[in-house]
């Protein structure tokens, strides 16, 4: 599945229309965020995670979505199930992100 660009306008709707969601919060100035982008795209297309929606949110442009997950550092990853936050945290290691996503299975 492709990575979906999300923002404050469509975030709530995306949470309601997808049972399982992983969100990457980033900022344009964040070097670690840019480095993780191809890894995130690869994870979104990984068949292990079929049925999980992968969202990308610019944390600086979407304060409401940022607040919903309690973003305090970037890059920040959060998982949602049935519209509710399950877990989230700042991380830049692919293994840690995979471990987080696997909690949605």
């Amino acid at each position: 599945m492709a990575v979906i660009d999300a923002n404050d306008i469509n975030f709530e709707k995306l949470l309601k229309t997808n049972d399982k969601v992983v969100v990457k919060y980033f900022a344009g100035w964040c070097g670690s965020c840019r480095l993780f982008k191809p890894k995130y795209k690869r994870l979104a297309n990984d068949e292990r995670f079929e049925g999980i929606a992968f969202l990308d949110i610019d944390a600086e442009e979407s304060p409401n979505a940022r607040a919903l997950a309690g973003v305090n550092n970037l890059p920040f990853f959060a998982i949602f199930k049935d519209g509710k936050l399950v877990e989230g945290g700042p991380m830049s290691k692919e293994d840690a992100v995979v471990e987080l996503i696997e909690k949605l299975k």
Side-chain angles (χ1 to χ4, degrees):
M1 177 181 269
V3 176
I4 302 164
D5 288 325
N7 55 43
D8 276 351
I9 296 167
N10 65 2
F11 186 57
E12 296 276 345
K13 182 180 180 192
L14 288 166
L15 287 181
K16 287 178 185 167
T17 57
N18 294 283
D19 297 335
K20 299 173 183 178
V21 177
V22 59
V23 183
K24 176 176 70 95
Y25 294 89
F26 71 95
W29 51 261
C30 173
S32 295
C33 300
R34 286 194 301 274
L35 287 172
F36 205 92
K37 188 171 185 164
K39 296 173 190 173
Y40 192 63
K41 186 176 182 180
R42 189 176 66 248
L43 289 172
N45 291 310
D46 190 319
E47 57 188 40
R48 292 178 296 168
F49 305 125
E50 195 171 317
I52 299 174
F54 283 69
L55 309 184
D56 223 357
I57 296 182
D58 186 324
E60 292 191 317
E61 294 180 7
S62 300
N64 294 336
R66 183 178 69 230
L68 201 58
V71 176
N72 58 6
N73 209 334
L74 297 173
F76 189 99
F77 294 84
I79 53 173
F80 292 82
K81 189 166 186 175
D82 300 321
K84 305 264 190 268
L85 177 66
V86 175
E87 188 177 328
M91 54 189 81
S92 56
K93 300 274 189 231
E94 186 172 355
D95 292 345
V97 175
V98 167
E99 193 176 303
L100 180 69
I101 298 168
E102 286 180 338
K103 293 179 181 182
L104 285 174
K105 291 169 120 184

